[in-house]
Amino acid sequence: MRVVSWNLRFDSQPDAIDVEDSLKSIPDPLEAPKFMAKKGEQPWSIRRIRVAQELGKNILIAAFQEALKRQVTDLAKLLGDDWEWAGRDDGKEAGEYGPIFYNKCHFELLEWDTFWLSETPFTPSRYPGAGSYRIATVARFATKGDSVADKKCFTFINTHLDERSEDQRKLGASLLLHRCHYEASVRKIPVFVVGDFNSEQEGRDSGAYRILTGAGSPVKIPAEFRAKFEFSSDSHPHFKMIDLRAATPRINVTGFFRTFTGFVERLGRGEYGRIDYILGSSAGGWYVFE
């Protein structure tokens, strides 16, 4: 299956342009697109068509970060009846969503839940000093097949760690690692974590990445979380998450290394590099195409 993680950038320049208006404004394909001349952040009403077009490239699961209600609704409309989604940050409509869109022709959603990346993970809450409320959306899927034997289950987690607080990112990564270990140990199915970690692979802000990939030690997590997602201590010793970019044959690794652009030229220099990831558990059950 082909999956994508995408920080949409929240709808910071809202307008009254609806999806139908955007579809009508799609330029003649024989004319050079005018958006190529634009610089800096553009309104969501301009960006949403391109997002939907990218998802048409054989992608089956798409995890988004920073999505507001309008953006989720627009994508659901643009993607059509073959797609459904799960996940929000407070069980209502406020704030940023952490939606997981999936192609229902290929997958059945078995269950999903949300937890907060804070000291009170089962209550809507923000970690002290964090810039925003941070959540993880957890979805368990089954592939659709001709028989029960053909079906395969897996857990897919979408998250967005904080841009301000390294302590929040470390706690969030530790909670995520524990939940992944639980899914692999108790449910005994493959586990994937995707999202915007705001954490590079190395350097001063690399704590979250290092914790998840086994290069750093997890921090203490709330007892209630550990109790709810309890597993045997001898299950999958040295459990960690594997960066799928590294697990992919090098000949098949394409695209830009840098994932944070700040709406500037991708090839230019910037403060951040690669902060968005797709990880698979060391317990296995998955493989990359060669």
Side-chain angles (χ1 to χ4, degrees), residues 169-227:
R169 291 191 291 270
K170 288 181 178 180
L171 174 62
S174 301
L175 289 165
L176 289 163
L177 184 65
H178 186 89
R179 179 65 185 268
C180 290
H181 201 161
Y182 167 86
E183 296 290 327
S185 300
V186 176
R187 298 192 185 277
K188 303 184 186 303
I189 56 177
V191 190
F192 303 93
V193 175
V194 309
D196 180 348
F197 294 0
N198 275 305
S199 175
E200 295 193 81
Q201 297 168 216
E202 55 187 20
R204 66 177 185 178
D205 295 324
S206 64
Y209 179 87
R210 290 174 57 80
I211 287 171
L212 281 162
T213 57
S217 298
V219 300
K220 184 178 179 181
I221 63 174
E224 60 177 334
F225 192 86
R226 186 177 296 277

Side-chain angles (χ1 to χ4, degrees), residues 6 9 28 34 53 78 89 105 130 143 147 151 163 166 173 176 186 194 197 204 213 219 224 227 252 259-260 290:
W6 197 327
R9 172 60 176 170
D28 185 329
K34 296 180 180 179
Q53 288 173 331
L78 287 166
D89 77 349
C105 298
T143 58
S147 67
K151 293 186 177 182
E163 86 283 8
E166 174 72 352
L176 289 163
V186 176
V194 309
F197 294 0
R204 66 177 185 178
T213 57
V219 300
E224 60 177 334
N252 294 334
T259 63
F260 179 87
E290 299 185 1

Side-chain angles (χ1 to χ4, degrees), residues 98-141:
I100 299 173
F101 278 73
Y102 62 97
N103 189 310
K104 65 182 183 182
C105 298
H106 294 267
F107 304 110
E108 175 188 358
L109 178 65
L110 302 178
E111 61 181 346
W112 71 274
D113 65 87
T114 295
F115 64 89
W116 282 258
L117 305 177
S118 70
E119 295 289 358
T120 53
F122 303 124
T123 303
S125 52
R126 179 166 57 182
Y127 185 87
S132 302
Y133 286 77
R134 298 300 180 185
I135 64 172
T137 301
V138 183
R140 188 160 62 92
F141 294 102

Side-chain angles (χ1 to χ4, degrees), residues 46-286:
I46 291 177
R47 297 188 282 118
R48 61 190 168 198
I49 299 298
R50 184 59 174 164
V51 174
Q53 288 173 331
E54 286 295 317
L55 296 185
K57 298 179 179 179
N58 299 317
I59 291 171
L60 299 181
I61 296 181
F64 297 108
Q65 301 88 43
E66 286 198 28
L68 299 183
K69 181 189 175 184
R70 178 195 185 193
Q71 293 170 291
V72 174
T73 302
D74 287 353
L75 287 172
K77 188 170 187 177
L78 287 166
L79 292 175
D81 293 338
D82 287 345
W83 287 78
E84 291 185 352
W85 65 275
R88 59 185 65 189
D89 77 349
D90 61 358
K92 299 180 181 179
E93 297 180 348
E96 296 178 7
Y97 290 46
I100 299 173
F101 278 73
Y102 62 97
N103 189 310
K104 65 182 183 182
C105 298
H106 294 267
F107 304 110
E108 175 188 358
L109 178 65
L110 302 178
E111 61 181 346
W112 71 274
D113 65 87
T114 295
F115 64 89
W116 282 258
L117 305 177
S118 70
E119 295 289 358
T120 53
F122 303 124
T123 303
S125 52
R126 179 166 57 182
Y127 185 87
S132 302
Y133 286 77
R134 298 300 180 185
I135 64 172
T137 301
V138 183
R140 188 160 62 92
F141 294 102
T143 58
K144 290 188 173 180
D146 295 330
S147 67
V148 174
D150 291 331
K151 293 186 177 182
K152 296 179 174 61
C153 295
F154 62 94
T155 297
F156 195 90
I157 304 176
N158 177 31
T159 196
H160 187 189
L161 303 183
D162 201 62
E163 86 283 8
R164 292 184 185 177
S165 172
E166 174 72 352
D167 287 340
Q168 188 285 328
R169 291 191 291 270
K170 288 181 178 180
L171 174 62
S174 301
L175 289 165
L176 289 163
L177 184 65
H178 186 89
R179 179 65 185 268
C180 290
H181 201 161
Y182 167 86
E183 296 290 327
S185 300
V186 176
R187 298 192 185 277
K188 303 184 186 303
I189 56 177
V191 190
F192 303 93
V193 175
V194 309
D196 180 348
F197 294 0
N198 275 305
S199 175
E200 295 193 81
Q201 297 168 216
E202 55 187 20
R204 66 177 185 178
D205 295 324
S206 64
Y209 179 87
R210 290 174 57 80
I211 287 171
L212 281 162
T213 57
S217 298
V219 300
K220 184 178 179 181
I221 63 174
E224 60 177 334
F225 192 86
R226 186 177 296 277
K228 182 171 182 176
F229 301 111
E230 185 177 6
F231 53 85
S232 173
S233 60
D234 59 0
S235 175
H236 298 298
H238 311 297
F239 180 87
K240 63 182 179 180
M241 301 301 291
I242 296 173
D243 191 330
L244 296 195
R245 186 180 179 93
T248 302
R250 294 186 181 184
I251 189 66
N252 294 334
V253 177
T254 60
F256 291 97
F257 179 82
R258 180 183 175 193
T259 63
F260 179 87
T261 69
F263 291 100
V264 297
E265 177 60 47
R266 273 183 174 267
L267 297 179
R269 295 185 178 274
E271 182 181 357
Y272 298 103
R274 183 171 178 245
I275 60 173
D276 302 82
Y277 304 93
I278 299 175
L279 310 180
S281 81
S282 60
W286 55 267

